[in-house]
Amino acid sequence: MRQLWRELRANNPQLIAARESYLAAKATVPQINAPDNPQLGLIWSGMPVGSAAALGTAGTNPAGQSGFNFAQPFKFPGKKSLAADIADKGAEAILAQNENLYLQLGSQLSTLYFSTLAAQRQLQVLNDTVIRTELIKNIAKARYSNHAAAYVEYLNAQVAQSAAESDKFNLEKQLIVAYKNINALIGRDPREKIKLAADHGLRASQVPTLVELESYAEGAHPVLRSSKSTVRSR
């Protein structure tokens, strides 16, 4: 299970896109805080009247002089740092949203993982049922050749075996879909074979109280952290 969560964080396409969105938002912070680009201009005057090289109104003032113009805009003190801080808080809000997405996808993965483990176990039981009912059929068949009453046992075993085979077929189809969904979540090819095993190390050593859970959620839940960052940016 831990390995699946690691692959989910590293390879899930939605999480990869979310990380890139955060990095893009974070990259705008130093750009906003950087000084404005300087403005360089060219004064083109003193050209002969009617000259083809005269641009705009150049050439209308023969006494004028050509030259360069340089200007550096300056923002009001503190305005750029304030805009950069707002952008930074917006990026942190995106990061918290990404963590919430990770938890949602992880919850889906956990549900699929444990339901698939249960289905795998059920499939093993059905396989054993099919084998055992086949043995019962063989025994009943040998018996009803001498005792007609044993024929009922044979029919019952045949019906039970058919039902088990039908359940087995449906369960195998469900497992194929579950494997594909798990592969899609962790960023693998859905057609890739995957083998799941129970992780006996996932046991809670202590169950927290409701108050402890509420306190932890207030400080760590991604949606709350995203809301706080959004409020601060405004």
Side-chain angles (χ1 to χ4, degrees):
M1 185 63 193
R2 294 188 180 92
Q3 177 63 28
L4 292 177
W5 275 73
R6 284 194 290 268
E7 291 192 40
L8 172 72
R9 181 179 283 277
N11 303 323
N12 182 270
Q14 288 181 263
L15 292 177
I16 292 175
R19 283 196 297 271
E20 294 300 325
S21 297
Y22 165 71
L23 293 175
K26 199 71 173 177
T28 62
V29 177
Q31 296 178 5
I32 294 174
N33 205 26
D36 291 337
N37 294 328
Q39 299 175 358
L40 181 63
L42 174 63
I43 301 174
W44 191 254
S45 61
M47 300 295 296
V49 178
S51 172
L55 302 177
T57 58
T60 60
N61 183 13
Q65 300 293 326
S66 300
F68 294 96
N69 180 37
F70 178 84
Q72 175 62 61
F74 290 97
K75 296 288 185 182
F76 188 81
K79 188 174 182 180
K80 292 188 70 68
S81 60
L82 178 61
D85 185 60
I86 293 174
D88 185 65
K89 295 301 181 184
E92 294 302 319
I94 293 175
L95 179 61
Q97 293 171 4
N98 294 350
E99 289 297 323
N100 185 54
L101 176 62
Y102 171 62
L103 292 179
Q104 291 177 352
L105 294 176
S107 177
Q108 296 178 24
L109 179 61
S110 297
T111 302
L112 276 172
Y113 171 78
F114 289 110
S115 62
T116 304
L117 284 181
Q120 287 180 167
R121 180 57 181 165
Q122 186 178 356
L123 184 60
Q124 292 176 358
V125 173
L126 288 174
N127 286 330
D128 293 340
T129 302
V130 171
I131 295 173
R132 290 171 181 172
T133 51
E134 182 65 27
L135 294 175
I136 294 173
K137 280 174 55 181
N138 293 334
I139 295 173
K141 187 176 182 180
R143 289 179 61 194
Y144 85 76
S145 59
N146 298 322
H147 303 281
Y151 184 65
V152 177
E153 296 180 9
Y154 175 80
L155 291 179
N156 290 337
Q158 191 173 37
V159 171
Q161 186 182 44
S162 298
E165 288 177 342
S166 177
D167 292 341
K168 177 185 173 184
F169 174 80
N170 293 330
L171 194 58
E172 287 174 343
K173 296 298 182 183
Q174 293 176 16
L175 281 172
I176 291 174
V177 174
Y179 292 146
K180 289 183 177 180
N181 289 335
I182 291 175
N183 278 329
L185 277 174
I186 61 177
R188 293 185 184 179
D189 188 333
R191 297 167 296 180
E192 184 177 343
K193 292 183 179 180
I194 185 171
K195 185 177 181 181
L196 302 182
D199 190 349
H200 299 291
L202 293 176
R203 292 190 177 93
S205 58
Q206 183 180 1
V207 179
T209 64
L210 179 59
V211 175
E212 291 174 338
L213 287 175
E214 290 177 347
S215 178
Y216 182 80
E218 289 176 357
H221 197 282
V223 173
L224 294 177
R225 289 194 288 112
S226 175
S227 299
K228 290 179 181 177
S229 296
T230 303
V231 170
R232 289 172 184 171
S233 66
R234 293 177 180 177

